[in-house]
Amino acid sequence: MGLVAGLLGCETFISLGDDYTQQCTTLTTVYRDADKDGEGNLHDPLTWCGAPPPEYVTNTLDCNDKSAEVNTRGIDDQCDGIDQDCDGKTDEDFPVLDCPILIDDRKKPCPGRTACVGKDVLCYALFYYDADNDGAGSTPRIVEEPGSCTPPPVPLGGGAWVHEGNDCDDTNPAIHPGAKEICDDGVDQNCNGTVGKVYLRQTFSLGVLNTGAAAELWSSGTNSGFVQAAPSDGECNGPEDDVTGTDDGNVVGVGLGACVPPATSGELESPVVDTTGAPKLWLSFQQWIDFTPAGTLGAPPAVALSVQQGPQRTMLFSLANPRPTDDQPVPGWDELERELATFTGPATSLVWSYESGDTGGWGGYAIDDVLLVDERCVDAP
């Protein structure tokens, strides 16, 4: 019986002795796994009965049974000419990296991309076809000669080959990376994925504070003491009596000072806007820094800016009060800009809150040209 078992390849019978008489009726082919990586060598088979013996498996996935690092689970990311993952290709996962090409007659290197050729890592210049000649292209092309900064031939239709890519509209020369974003026109001029959407735009004018459209009205809280007061005459004038021109032709909207009784507090809230979906928000506004007359003593008013979202109010910052000096006896405009990365939602508003100073003097701030957008942008020319 032992002889018959050997002929059938059922070596497992031999260890049971000659008295084992059950005949093996199903034979399988197993394959050598010399490197013990769980994958077998197609060219080293063995006919077998039962579970595979040690160093044998039932698959033929291994393309190199001498290396446990080479199998279908391998990563072919080395520039070594070896097929690590047994897919019939070599080095296909070798990373494509940026690389500079230095040419003596150029002031700066031209950008390129790495490629694995044999066992060598070479650098090939990268160009983009710029159809609208705005300095940025959209269609990439790698040159054929490594280490060369010579661009490909220009197509018959015109255009140019440039090193700047990411042009999101290569038919319009006004649209390209680095272009000025136009506010609220629905177009992504600078190709960064946002369109310069304006969520809130406000200049404090006489009409806005009193009889403006509903979308423009800023509401005053209880006991509000916001007034417009011209620093030139020192009088306490209300919005209907005195407005002051800014450097861009708008009017100063909010000032506070001794016109407001000491220890008076109040607030002014913007219209509620829906900022849902904005990747981030940019807030910019002008403040007229402290129009307290030079030499005046007393505590200045305090002003703070907050974001209101439903019942939740978050203070962003307080405005400092740099009193005028003899060298600068009049107030000056200061442009402030803040990124509000987390304040997006269906009910967002801005709240200016204040607490007045004392009777020792008068002074305060003026706030103007509030702009809340999804990115920095400019008005259309």
Side-chain angles (χ1 to χ4, degrees):
M1 181 62 187
L3 179 59
V4 174
L7 291 175
L8 293 176
C10 296
E11 285 81 354
T12 53
F13 293 170
I14 299 175
S15 64
L16 299 178
D18 292 340
D19 293 335
Y20 189 87
T21 58
Q22 181 176 350
Q23 183 178 1
C24 179
T25 59
T26 302
L27 299 177
T28 59
T29 303
V30 293
Y31 302 88
R32 183 75 180 274
D33 179 17
D35 57 11
K36 298 181 181 180
D37 60 4
E39 298 185 356
N41 181 358
L42 174 65
H43 305 293
D44 197 351
L46 175 66
T47 302
W48 193 254
C49 178
E55 293 191 5
Y56 282 85
V57 294
T58 58
N59 66 70
T60 59
L61 299 175
D62 209 336
C63 59
N64 184 352
D65 204 27
K66 296 180 180 180
S67 173
E69 304 298 324
V70 177
N71 52 62
T72 57
R73 302 182 305 278
I75 301 176
D76 207 359
D77 60 354
Q78 303 297 315
C79 187
D80 54 10
I82 298 174
D83 181 11
Q84 270 93 1
D85 56 3
C86 295
D87 64 351
K89 298 177 288 185
T90 60
D91 309 324
E92 71 275 10
D93 295 326
F94 182 76
V96 177
L97 304 174
D98 293 337
C99 56
I101 299 177
L102 300 173
I103 304 296
D104 290 341
D105 60 351
R106 288 176 174 262
K107 294 182 179 179
K108 60 180 181 179
C110 65
R113 296 291 186 272
T114 58
C116 177
V117 180
K119 295 184 179 181
D120 296 323
V121 180
L122 304 179
C123 186
Y124 293 81
L126 172 65
F127 289 88
Y128 295 89
Y129 179 58
D130 178 16
D132 56 13
N133 292 291
D134 59 7
S138 58
T139 304
R141 179 168 171 179
I142 300 291
V143 301
E144 297 180 357
E145 182 182 353
S148 171
C149 289
T150 302
V154 176
L156 295 178
W161 291 100
V162 296
H163 292 301
E164 174 68 42
N166 301 313
D167 195 336
C168 53
D169 186 350
D170 205 22
T171 65
N172 188 337
I175 299 177
H176 56 82
K180 287 186 177 180
E181 189 71 20
I182 305 300
C183 292
D184 231 18
D185 65 349
V187 179
D188 181 12
Q189 278 87 8
N190 60 11
C191 299
N192 70 344
T194 53
V195 295
K197 181 177 179 180
V198 176
Y199 293 93
L200 178 66
R201 180 195 296 271
Q202 197 62 74
T203 295
F204 291 102
S205 65
L206 176 62
V208 168
L209 290 178
N210 293 275
T211 60
E216 298 178 334
L217 285 173
W218 288 62
S219 58
S220 296
T222 304
N223 204 25
S224 175
F226 279 95
V227 297
Q228 282 182 295
S232 58
D233 57 14
E235 299 294 329
C236 294
N237 301 317
E240 67 280 4
D241 298 324
D242 192 3
V243 294
T244 304
T246 71
D247 55 359
D248 62 0
N250 295 318
V251 296
V252 175
V254 181
L256 26 136
C259 305
V260 182
T264 299
S265 62
E267 65 184 36
L268 193 67
E269 183 176 6
S270 77
V272 176
V273 294
D274 186 354
T275 58
T276 302
K280 60 183 177 181
L281 294 171
W282 289 95
L283 169 67
S284 64
F285 64 93
Q286 288 181 315
Q287 64 167 340
W288 195 353
I289 304 174
D290 187 5
F291 49 82
T292 305
T296 301
L297 302 177
V303 182
L305 173 63
S306 301
V307 172
Q308 186 82 29
Q309 290 188 299
Q312 180 69 34
R313 178 176 293 189
T314 305
M315 192 182 83
L316 298 177
F317 54 88
S318 297
L319 298 181
N321 192 295
R323 288 182 177 276
T325 65
D326 292 338
D327 293 333
Q328 186 184 352
V330 295
W333 282 107
D334 185 27
E335 184 78 19
L336 296 186
E337 187 175 59
R338 296 294 176 99
E339 180 179 353
L340 311 181
T342 59
F343 297 103
T344 60
T348 302
S349 62
L350 301 176
V351 178
W352 297 99
S353 57
Y354 76 93
E355 184 171 350
S356 64
D358 57 29
T359 57
W362 67 272
Y365 289 85
I367 310 299
D368 196 22
D369 293 341
V370 177
L371 188 65
L372 188 64
V373 294
D374 64 358
E375 67 170 314
R376 297 182 179 95
C377 58
V378 298
D379 290 333

